[in-house]
């Protein structure tokens, strides 16, 4: 694979994991997952993790994976190299793992005394990669190792924080998010 192909595969393969966070921001609100419960004197997850946001995030990731799979033959034909199609389990691992990573990050934020919306550098940018990749490797093992080569993983680890910072800045400027991270 050329570098350009590696970057294209990395971006494409991660789209079902990228989109859930943004969909959750758009759809979020309503009943918090932790039901308002506290652990010690701190919330378990906080009001920023809602059932509606989480469901919308996972569904958006699954829908995008489906759309990309339908589009794959023509896009691959147009660019001249092979891009991944998503199996249902691969899509679930990526989208579900992204939301789970985000939820675990909020859990870690609350335990470390960070208020809702507080920055947690590194965790904010990579939480969903750290959970969605291992989860996908677990539930869609063969598919995972076909596409997630070491080069692709390296590009993802470099590319994701940059994309995350950029999209959150845009969401903040558009007034969709309260903080630019
Ligand atoms: N959101 C949601 N459910 C999720 C994830 C996000 O409803 N599982 C919505 C919430 O409205 C949240 C917004 O998306 O406020 C932004 O998400 P995020 O930055 O992850 O949450 P924060 O409010 O910053 O809270 P935390 O400090 O726990 O990350
Ligand atoms: Mg936040």
């Amino acid at each position: 694979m050329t570098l350009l192909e590696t970057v294209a595969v990395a971006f494409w393969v991660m789209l079902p994991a990228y989109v859930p966070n943004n969909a959750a921001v758009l759809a979020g609100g309503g009943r918090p997952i932790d039901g308002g419960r506290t652990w010690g004197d701190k919330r378990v997850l906080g009001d920023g993790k809602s059932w509606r946001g989480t469901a919308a995030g996972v569904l958006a990731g699954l829908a995008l994976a489906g759309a990309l799979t339908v589009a794959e033959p023509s896009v691959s034909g147009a660019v001249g190299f092979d891009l991944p199609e998503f199996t249902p389990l691969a899509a679930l691992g990526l989208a579900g793992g992204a939301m789970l990573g985000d939820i675990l990050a909020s859990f870690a934020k609350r335990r470390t005394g960070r208020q809702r919306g507080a920055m947690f550098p590194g965790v904010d940018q990579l939480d969903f990669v750290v959970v969605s990749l291992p989860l996908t490797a677990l539930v869609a093992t063969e598919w995972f190792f076909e596409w997630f080569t070491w080069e692709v993983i390296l590009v993802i680890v470099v590319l994701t924080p940059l994309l995350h910072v950029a999209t959150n800045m845009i969401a903040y400027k558009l007034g969709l998010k309260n903080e630019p991270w």
Side-chain angles (χ1 to χ4, degrees):
M1 270 201 265
T2 66
L3 180 60
L4 183 69
E5 288 175 25
T6 307
V7 172
V9 167
F11 181 66
W12 176 284
V13 85
M14 284 302 282
L15 274 171
Y18 287 150
V19 94
N21 280 295
N22 301 299
V25 171
L26 294 178
R31 208 151 74 81
I33 296 174
D34 68 7
R37 276 183 281 276
T38 54
W39 185 12
D41 54 356
K42 300 175 183 92
R43 285 286 292 274
V44 177
L45 300 174
D47 286 330
K49 302 298 108 136
S50 68
W51 288 109
R52 194 167 78 210
T54 307
V58 174
L59 287 177
L62 293 178
L64 183 62
L68 292 174
T69 299
V70 171
E72 189 275 331
S74 29
V75 178
S76 290
V79 295
F81 54 88
D82 210 18
L83 289 161
E85 294 177 48
F86 296 90
T87 65
L89 278 176
L92 194 64
L94 290 166
M99 284 284 87
L100 187 60
D102 184 53
I103 289 168
L104 291 174
S106 289
F107 180 76
K109 286 186 191 179
R110 300 302 92 82
R111 299 285 70 71
T112 54
R114 289 174 167 81
Q115 299 296 323
R116 176 186 180 184
M119 198 172 19
F120 201 165
V123 173
D124 277 325
Q125 288 75 35
L126 283 170
D127 53 15
F128 52 103
V129 175
V130 171
V131 177
S132 63
L133 265 58
L135 186 64
T136 308
L138 199 68
V139 299
T141 310
E142 215 178 303
W143 180 91
F144 179 87
F145 287 106
E146 185 185 345
W147 292 104
F148 285 81
T149 60
W150 284 113
E151 292 85 356
V152 166
I153 291 174
L154 185 66
V155 169
I156 289 168
V157 169
V158 175
L159 186 77
T160 303
L162 299 176
L163 275 171
H164 192 267
V165 169
T167 52
N168 283 325
M169 187 60 79
I170 293 168
Y172 172 71
K173 295 262 188 227
L174 291 174
L176 298 171
K177 235 175 156 302
N178 295 328
E179 310 88 17
W181 52 80

